[in-house]
């Protein structure tokens, strides 16, 4: 293995170690550099060859977590293009992600309202990416104007993230019930976007 490949492998081990330490009790700010290094199987001094500090690692985790979720939702849209229901497929894909990557989603939720300005801004950027991609998709599939499509996308993303927060601590059957309600709520939003209220209403 080349030095560059080894460096990438160690960097990956640090990122995975940090994710593994996050759970329902622990946030990013409560995890120490030494804990991450120990979990990754490296000396604490080796950490600095890959990240300037824990803040830089945290931003990497937020960016990577948001990107992983966005990529999964893009794949869901490809499945929709081959004949699936847009809302149903998207919700099912999102719930699968939360179940398989609960620590990643916890990170995004926590840091969205956390004490670090940099982390909050990073999560907000990820949410804006979600809204922008969904806006483009809605425009392409419904013919709505950008402003209306953007309002619909924003409402949908906020509702889905809120439902995701609730789903984290639910049993499987409760998650299924939540997903059913969420699909119905998203259809309300989609139908409403097709018939926007007049200013007088």
């Amino acid at each position: 293995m080349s030095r560059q490949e080894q460096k990438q492998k160690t960097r990956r081990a640090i990122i995975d170690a940090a994710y593994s330490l996050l759970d329902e009790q622990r946030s990013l700010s409560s995890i120490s550099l030494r804990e991450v290094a120990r979990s990754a199987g490296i000396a604490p001094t080796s950490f600095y060859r890959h990240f300037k500090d824990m803040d830089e690692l945290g931003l990497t985790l937020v960016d990577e977590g948001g990107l992983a979720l966005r990529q999964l939702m893009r794949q869901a849209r490809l499945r929709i293009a081959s004949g699936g229901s847009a809302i149903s497929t998207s919700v099912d894909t999102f719930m699968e992600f939360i179940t398989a990557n609960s620590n990643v989603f916890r990170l995004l939720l926590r840091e969205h309202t956390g004490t670090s300005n940099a982390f909050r801004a990073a999560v907000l950027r990820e949410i804006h990416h979600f809204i922008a991609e969904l806006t483009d998709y809605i425009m392409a599939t419904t013919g709505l104007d950008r402003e209306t499509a953007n309002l619909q996308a924003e409402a949908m993303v906020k509702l889905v993230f809120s439902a995701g927060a609730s789903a984290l601590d639910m049993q499987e059957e409760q998650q299924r019930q939540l997903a059913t309600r969420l699909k119905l709520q998203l259809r309300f939003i989609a139908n409403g976007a097709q018939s926007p209220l007049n200013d007088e209403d």
Side-chain angles (χ1 to χ4, degrees), residues 31-45:
I31 294 170
S32 71
L33 187 154
R34 286 185 174 278
E35 284 180 288
V36 173
R38 184 167 60 246
S39 182
I42 62 170
T45 51

Side-chain angles (χ1 to χ4, degrees), residues 49-66:
R49 295 183 198 142
H50 304 275
F51 297 98
K52 182 178 68 176
D53 52 27
M54 284 294 289
D55 283 351
E56 186 178 18
L57 172 60
L59 291 173
T60 299
L61 295 178
V62 169
D63 289 344
E64 191 172 284

Side-chain angles (χ1 to χ4, degrees), residues 158-179:
K158 288 182 176 179
L159 180 61
V160 167
F161 265 71
S162 176
S166 300
L168 279 173
D169 300 313
M170 286 181 172
Q171 300 297 320
E172 189 175 344
E173 179 56 32
Q174 290 175 309
Q175 281 192 359
R176 272 200 292 270
Q177 292 173 4
L178 175 64

Side-chain angles (χ1 to χ4, degrees), residues 13 32 45 53 74 79 106 109 126 142 150 159 163 187 196:
S32 71
T45 51
D53 52 27
R74 287 172 196 157
R79 281 156 56 191
R106 278 185 210 283
L109 283 176
E126 291 303 319
T142 66
N150 184 254
L159 180 61
R187 290 191 181 101

Side-chain angles (χ1 to χ4, degrees), residues 57-128:
L57 172 60
L59 291 173
T60 299
L61 295 178
V62 169
D63 289 344
E64 191 172 284
L67 179 60
L69 181 53
R70 277 189 286 129
Q71 287 175 335
L72 198 66
M73 298 315 291
R74 287 172 196 157
Q75 291 170 13
R77 287 195 282 271
L78 291 176
R79 281 156 56 191
I80 292 162
S82 63
S85 158
I87 286 175
S88 184
T89 301
S90 297
V91 170
D92 290 344
T93 301
F94 182 75
M95 289 299 182
E96 287 165 14
F97 178 88
I98 290 175
T99 301
N101 306 275
S102 58
N103 286 3
V104 176
F105 192 66
R106 278 185 210 283
L107 171 74
L108 295 174
L109 283 176
R110 280 213 182 103
E111 302 310 331
H112 183 218
T113 56
T115 56
S116 166
N117 289 337
F119 292 164
R120 286 203 307 273
V123 176
L124 195 58
R125 273 198 308 274
E126 291 303 319
I127 291 173
H128 284 160

